[in-house]
Amino acid sequence: DPRVPPLAPVRHAGDCASQHSPAANSRVQTRRRQARRCRPAVVAMPVLLLLLPIALRPTAPGNRAGFVQMVQPTTRPGDGGAARPPAVAAPAGFVAPKPKPLSMTRPKEQLPSLITGGLALAVRLATGVFTLGWTPWLLTGDDAAAVGVESGTYGFRLGPVAFRDTSPLLAEAVRPEEPLVLYEYEGSPFCRKVREAALLLDLPLALRPCPGARAGFASELQERTGRMTVPFLVDPNTGTEMFESDDIVEYMLSTYGPPRAAYDPKALWPLRGGFQVATATLATLLRGLAGSQRQPNARPDNEAMQPLQLWGYEPSPFVRPVREKLCALCLPHTLVPTARGSANRDALVRKTGVQFQVPYLVDPNTGVELFESPEIVEYLEAVYTVPSR
């Protein structure tokens, strides 16, 4: 986000490591941690397996680094001196599909993705499906009657009773006025750690995809920090910026989480250590490294688009294909979290006027809003790729 001032690099032992200049490191802020010890080889091996297909990718003509050449992203509307975003339009005759909650619109097409998405969900022990402090409620009487689309209240009614889930723990936590900005990419286990932590805390993220830590917004990141290392967090609410996934998670917990004494720290153990790296890497491999490289036919000006808005939570097998496609196309987007217990479930019901369902995409570049995972992926493919000749 151009409104955030230039950022100072932070020395560390590397999440998705890249080269950095000595001159940039000389400006490291003293409040950042010193370099950590190198991770054990047993932890590094899954990461090497993840990055190997990217490293072996054939070099494209005129691109010595082996990655698709990118245009420099421009500033966005609403910022001083901003240029207009590229003009795009919905496909001719496009009609948004009607939402069909709790169903598959294209069973044969979706089934393989749902299976691998479900396996990835299981491998990560459903981390990110539930918010911290998730609490289910069985409502009766007037409380049950108040649940529904008419009142803009998320829940499921069954006769005289209703089921609803919230997070009283997060209701008292500090909420950011603006989304936190995260430079990341789908396949990185370290980036996944940060995204899952944000889901636990019900925090919206303005995502800047950097597939392979070299494409997409990676060049913008290098200009700002002197490095191509992800994840990298910018909090426009506090002026804080930092590398290192563990530090980012701790920062989000201390700044936007409930008091430490209010929850069991064991709830966070899937985000820790070698288990997290190994299982997150396995989840990425199960998905075929989707979102780890820039799609060859992606529009070269996708980075300059207005950020799209995706309502959902990425562990969902229905949401994940959309997230992967947005990352592969290098499209900036804001992820509005809707994990179980999220207050945003009520907000989505009020916004759409239909029963809660994700994924839900809002595209300010075309004015299109739509549900249904395969239709969203198809729409993104039609609008944000270059037609083959």
Side-chain angles (χ1 to χ4, degrees):
D1 192 325
R3 292 170 292 183
V4 180
L7 308 172
V10 181
R11 180 185 297 273
H12 78 318
D15 279 343
C16 295
S18 66
Q19 296 180 354
H20 46 282
S21 68
N25 287 332
S26 67
R27 299 190 299 271
V28 174
Q29 299 179 19
T30 57
R31 64 189 177 90
R32 300 291 185 258
R33 316 189 155 180
Q34 297 299 322
R36 296 184 173 182
R37 296 179 182 176
C38 294
R39 291 183 169 86
V42 67
V43 175
M45 284 303 296
V47 184
L48 294 176
L49 287 173
L50 172 63
L51 298 178
L52 183 60
I54 299 174
L56 296 179
R57 182 182 175 186
T59 301
N63 187 353
R64 296 180 183 178
F67 295 91
V68 178
Q69 199 69 24
M70 302 299 304
V71 297
Q72 293 296 325
T74 62
T75 53
R76 290 182 171 73
D79 297 317
R84 291 185 178 180
V88 290
F94 174 81
V95 177
K98 292 184 177 181
K100 298 179 180 178
L102 305 177
S103 64
M104 292 187 293
T105 57
R106 304 178 185 181
K108 292 184 179 180
E109 178 183 328
Q110 290 179 265
L111 190 58
S113 178
L114 291 177
I115 291 174
T116 57
L119 290 173
L121 172 67
V123 164
R124 285 297 298 138
L125 303 182
T127 306
V129 172
F130 302 93
T131 58
L132 200 60
W134 174 75
T135 305
W137 307 91
L138 186 62
L139 307 176
T140 59
D142 292 341
D143 291 334
V147 171
V149 174
E150 298 81 6
S151 61
T153 304
Y154 158 75
F156 298 96
R157 292 174 58 179
L158 184 60
V161 300
F163 173 83
R164 174 173 166 78
D165 51 335
T166 62
S167 176
L169 195 61
L170 292 179
E172 303 300 323
V174 175
R175 300 289 85 185
E177 293 185 5
E178 298 182 49
L180 281 63
V181 180
L182 184 68
Y183 291 82
E184 55 82 45
Y185 73 95
E186 173 67 23
S188 163
F190 304 104
C191 296
R192 185 189 297 267
K193 179 195 306 182
V194 175
R195 296 194 308 267
E196 289 176 346
L199 288 171
L200 285 169
L201 295 173
D202 204 26
L203 296 176
L205 292 176
L207 297 168
R208 303 289 183 261
C210 307
R214 291 297 183 277
F217 287 86
S219 58
E220 177 180 294
L221 178 61
Q222 186 177 41
E223 289 179 2
R224 299 164 81 91
T225 68
R227 298 161 57 177
M228 289 184 176
T229 303
V230 295
F232 182 74
L233 181 78
V234 178
D235 186 348
N237 305 282
T238 65
T240 300
E241 63 278 337
M242 62 178 65
F243 290 101
E244 195 67 46
S245 60
D246 288 334
D247 291 345
I248 294 173
V249 171
E250 287 303 316
Y251 169 79
M252 293 193 300
L253 285 169
S254 61
T255 307
Y256 300 110
R260 301 291 178 124
Y263 63 91
D264 188 344
K266 293 179 181 178
L268 303 175
W269 79 264
L271 299 176
R272 311 296 190 190
F275 172 84
Q276 186 279 327
V277 177
T279 56
T281 301
L282 179 56
T284 296
L285 294 174
L286 287 169
R287 295 293 296 170
L289 301 176
S292 296
Q293 299 184 46
R294 189 175 194 275
Q295 190 167 311
N297 66 337
R299 285 179 58 120
D301 53 2
N302 277 351
E303 292 83 352
M305 298 292 175
Q306 296 183 75
L308 284 71
Q309 191 179 80
L310 175 63
W311 295 67
Y313 54 111
E314 66 171 82
S316 163
F318 294 93
V319 177
R320 187 171 297 281
V322 178
R323 247 291 299 176
E324 292 167 345
K325 179 59 67 174
L326 288 166
C327 192
L329 293 174
C330 298
L331 286 166
H333 58 286
T334 298
L335 180 63
V336 183
T338 59
R340 303 302 298 264
S342 170
N344 292 317
R345 292 198 166 208
D346 287 340
L348 183 58
V349 172
R350 291 192 297 268
K351 177 178 176 62
T352 62
V354 300
Q355 182 179 340
F356 174 83
Q357 178 182 342
V358 290
Y360 179 69
L361 185 77
V362 179
D363 187 349
N365 299 290
T366 63
V368 166
E369 301 183 11
L370 70 160
F371 289 99
E372 302 301 340
S373 179
E375 282 79 0
I376 293 175
V377 171
E378 190 174 73
Y379 163 83
L380 293 171
E381 186 75 24
V383 176
Y384 293 106
T385 59
V386 177
S388 58
R389 298 178 179 178

